[in-house]
Each structure stands twice: as C-alpha cells, then as structure tokens.
Amino acid sequence: MKIRPAKVSDVKQIHKLIEYYADNKEMLHRSLNAIYENIQEFVVVVEGDKVIGCGALHVSWDDLAEIKALAVGKGYTKKGIGKQIMKTLEKNAKLLGVKKVFVLSFKPQFFEKLKYNVVAKETLPHKIWSECINCHLFPDCGEVPLLKKLK
Ligand SMILES: CC(C)(COP(=O)(O)OP(=O)(O)OC[C@H]1O[C@@H](n2cnc3c(N)ncnc32)[C@H](O)[C@@H]1OP(=O)(O)O)[C@@H](O)C(=O)NCCC(=O)NCCS
C-alpha cells in the first residue's frame, strides 16, 4: 500500500470510489470532468494499481485551502488510511505556504479527531460557497464547516 499524487489513469477509479459514497449521501458527487480538470489536487492510496483511497487539496485564497473528495474504499476503512491521506494533504498545504485548512463535511467527528474545529459558516470567505448554488442539496445540505490552523 502506498500514497502518491494521482495520475490521469486513476481518475475512473477515483470517480467510482466517490460515487459509491455520494450515492449513499455521505459526500457530494463529482463528475469525471471535474476530477480530470483538478487531478493535480488529488492524492491516492493504492494497492498495486487499485485505488483504495483518495483526497484533494484545493487552494481557496492566500492563507486558506480546502480538503475535498476524501474517501476510503469500503473494506479498507478504520485502518488509518483516511488519517494518512489527511496528513499528506496537510503537508502539501504547508509546502504551498497555506496556513489554514478547512473542510465541509457530513462527518465532523472524523475531522475533530484530527484537530479540526467546527467554525461558523460566516467565518469562511464567501467565494467558497459559490459552488453550493449548483448543488441539488442547496441551501440545506447539512455539511459542517471545520477549520485547522497548520503548525
Ligand atoms: C471518513 C473516512 C474518510 C474515514 O477514513 P478511515 O480510513 O476509516 O479513517 P481512519 O482509519 O484513518 O480513522 C482515523 C480516526 O478517525 C476515526 N473515524 C473514522 N471514521 C469516523 C467516523 N465516520 N466518525 C467518527 N470517527 C471516525 C477512527 O476511529 C480513527 O480514530 P483513532 O485514531 O482514535 O483510532 C471514511 O470512512 C470514508 O471514506 N467515508 C465516506 C466518505 C466521507 O465521509 N468522506 C469524508 C467527508 S466528505
């Protein structure tokens, strides 16, 4: 098992992984197109050629980035893989010079364990809510905003 930057050849598997949880309403759907266009933001955990986990880091502004599309395949959860993906994305954020990372999640407890704090929506920049308007869950999606200051 290893963690590495995603490649275009991983995209179909990343899409399938996200679709599984999005169909269960545990995360938001992402189109193949959106994954291809943002592939540089993604890291994957692989076993051979099989993608068993993924996550993405999207820079929002000069000191802020968002964790997106975090998923660990069914059968591979509770083994520390999610935590490992988060650690890598936070390391990448630091390399980019980003000081704060946030996430919008239906699973706040997972992120609280990783030292993320629930924050009021209004404390995050308006621009991050722009894509919400196109979401079928808008305006009452139930996602919780959480933020962590990187050391
Ligand atoms: C949430 C998810 C990424 C966790 O991945 P994982 O590989 O199982 O997580 P880990 O094994 O690294 O767990 C790290 C810690 O969080 C805890 N944890 C894992 N899932 C949790 C959950 N749903 N709620 C609360 N705590 C959770 C673990 O018990 C572990 O705690 P510990 O360090 O005290 O043992 C995974 O369950 C998943 O892909 N879920 C569906 C998609 C999703 O919800 N994505 C995230 C939000 S958009």
Side-chain angles (χ1 to χ4, degrees):
M1 194 189 306
K2 69 169 182 179
I3 187 160
R4 59 161 172 76
K7 303 177 188 179
V8 284
S9 54
D10 300 319
V11 169
K12 286 184 183 141
Q13 291 192 72
I14 294 172
H15 182 248
K16 211 169 158 190
L17 186 57
I18 294 173
E19 282 296 283
Y20 172 79
Y21 289 116
D23 286 345
N24 280 341
K25 306 204 180 337
E26 292 183 62
M27 63 195 294
L28 302 179
H29 286 277
R30 265 167 226 281
S31 66
L32 272 175
N33 178 55
I35 302 170
Y36 278 118
E37 286 194 352
N38 298 297
I39 194 64
Q40 291 109 316
E41 298 183 348
F42 277 82
V43 297
V44 286
V45 175
V46 290
E47 231 177 32
D49 288 337
K50 188 176 179 197
V51 174
I52 58 174
C54 67
L57 181 82
H58 178 79
V59 175
S60 311
W61 208 246
D62 64 349
D63 64 347
L64 189 67
E66 179 176 1
I67 302 284
K68 291 187 170 199
L70 177 71
V72 174
K74 200 172 156 261
Y76 295 94
T77 56
K78 310 273 180 201
K79 296 176 195 285
I81 297 174
K83 206 168 168 176
Q84 198 188 344
I85 296 171
M86 289 297 294
K87 219 172 132 186
T88 303
L89 294 174
E90 288 175 6
K91 193 183 85 191
N92 291 349
K94 279 194 204 174
L95 288 171
L96 285 163
V98 168
K99 302 220 166 47
K100 291 181 286 182
V101 180
F102 77 95
V103 63
L104 305 173
S105 178
F106 297 118
K107 301 266 171 65
Q109 300 88 343
F110 170 76
F111 293 98
E112 281 175 331
K113 282 206 156 174
L114 301 177
K115 301 196 165 64
Y116 283 70
N117 295 309
V118 176
V119 291
K121 269 185 175 185
E122 302 72 36
T123 62
L124 297 172
H126 284 145
K127 67 169 289 233
I128 69 149
W129 305 106
S130 58
E131 70 180 46
C132 296
I133 295 163
N134 299 317
C135 177
H136 70 288
L137 298 175
F138 182 78
D140 298 313
C141 70
E143 280 196 317
V144 177
L146 297 106
L147 182 84
K148 180 176 182 173
K149 285 184 185 153
L150 300 175
K151 285 191 187 130

